[in-house]
Amino acid sequence: MITLQHILGLDDSHLVACQQGHHLQAPVAQAFSKMQKAAATEGIDCQIASSYRSFQQQQSIWQKKWLGEKILRDINEQIIPFETLCDEQKLKAILTWSALPGASRHHWGTDLDVYDQQTLTSRGQSLQLIQQEYTDKSGPCYELNLWLDVHAQDFGFSRPYCAYTGGVAAEPWHLSYDCIAQDMRQSFSLDGLKSAIIEAKLLGIECILPNLEGIYQQYILNKGQA
């Protein structure tokens, strides 16, 4: 089984369980809990949609998208007809919204996706993790988005994909605990990533490996911060 020791020198021992069965590094979980309580005093129900993901979890997402079993969207969040894509186009479409297994910031235990659960529930809606939920004034996570703009940094969090700069699409839901995430990023091994992709026999490997250096620069190093 592929572990993150290939790429980051880490195993699951760097994680603790937190709310709703999610896992984060202990200082991140503590900082999030403080932020969540502060948001609650202003009527914002900040909950975790996604936190730590193993290599295998990210691989499952990747494989389903590569096979057309999950929807692919363009940068404007419009659904792309899967059958119209060549492998290079498919690779770009997936990377716009989903990281390569081994290259996701969610592996680090420092990054998480958040949403306003109470507002969604009161409206009878389910979370899609699309921008309009956060950026449209009528969106269920709009008030949360505004609150994070002002307060996330007070608790040590940034939003690495707050703007689209040619790599990953803007993800207003994605938070990163900066002081530890920087260490994780410095520990990242491109050679380890390549080895893990080969060992896992990742779907699309024939397209991925010749483009891996470019993927590393465009979608891993390139944080979408304005």
Side-chain angles (χ1 to χ4, degrees):
M1 183 175 73
I2 307 296
T3 72
L4 297 179
Q5 288 179 314
H6 289 72
I7 303 146
L8 294 167
L10 295 174
D11 56 28
D12 291 356
S13 64
H14 69 301
L15 304 169
V16 298
C18 56
Q19 300 165 19
Q20 301 174 337
H22 291 285
H23 292 79
L24 294 166
Q25 292 200 39
V28 186
Q30 293 167 5
F32 173 74
S33 180
K34 290 178 182 178
M35 184 177 73
Q36 184 183 51
K37 290 174 182 176
T41 65
E42 299 187 41
I44 305 293
D45 184 29
C46 183
Q47 298 290 342
I48 301 175
S50 181
S51 53
Y52 168 78
R53 290 191 210 120
S54 67
F55 184 96
Q56 285 71 31
Q57 289 171 313
Q58 193 70 26
Q59 183 177 9
S60 176
I61 294 170
W62 181 271
Q63 309 286 66
K64 288 176 182 179
K65 288 194 172 185
W66 190 266
L67 292 171
E69 295 172 0
K70 288 178 72 73
I71 288 172
L72 297 181
R73 297 181 185 272
D74 63 20
I75 191 58
N76 297 312
E77 298 184 317
Q78 299 302 304
I79 295 174
I80 306 173
F82 179 81
E83 64 278 2
T84 67
L85 302 177
C86 67
D87 281 356
E88 289 77 11
Q89 292 170 325
K90 193 180 349 179
L91 179 64
K92 181 177 179 181
I94 297 174
L95 287 170
T96 299
W97 295 101
S98 296
L100 272 176
S104 173
R105 296 176 67 99
H106 283 281
H107 294 329
W108 303 352
T110 60
D111 286 52
L112 61 158
D113 300 334
V114 297
Y115 71 112
D116 186 330
Q117 183 181 58
Q118 185 174 11
T119 301
L120 274 166
T121 301
S122 68
R123 296 182 182 186
Q125 298 175 343
S126 58
L127 184 67
Q128 299 180 67
L129 281 183
I130 57 175
Q131 293 172 19
Q132 67 183 41
E133 292 174 316
Y134 294 77
T135 58
D136 286 2
K137 288 186 177 181
S138 61
C141 300
Y142 179 73
E143 295 299 329
L144 169 63
N145 186 34
L146 295 181
W147 192 91
L148 291 172
D149 280 343
V150 176
H151 298 289
Q153 290 186 342
D154 296 341
F155 300 90
F157 291 99
S158 70
R159 291 200 272 185
Y161 306 121
C162 67
Y164 175 63
T165 56
V168 177
E171 295 186 349
W173 50 83
H174 188 128
L175 300 178
S176 183
Y177 193 66
D178 273 347
C179 63
I180 300 178
Q182 290 173 8
D183 292 338
M184 296 295 98
R185 184 172 174 175
Q186 290 173 1
S187 299
F188 182 86
S189 166
L190 182 58
D191 288 339
L193 175 62
K194 181 177 180 180
S195 297
I197 289 170
I198 293 171
E199 185 174 340
K201 299 181 175 63
L202 195 66
L203 292 181
I205 191 170
E206 299 85 358
C207 188
I208 294 166
L209 291 183
N211 293 290
L212 191 57
E213 179 62 36
I215 291 170
Y216 180 64
Q217 295 294 330
Q218 185 174 356
Y219 295 99
I220 300 172
L221 293 184
N222 176 26
K223 293 200 297 181
Q225 292 182 315

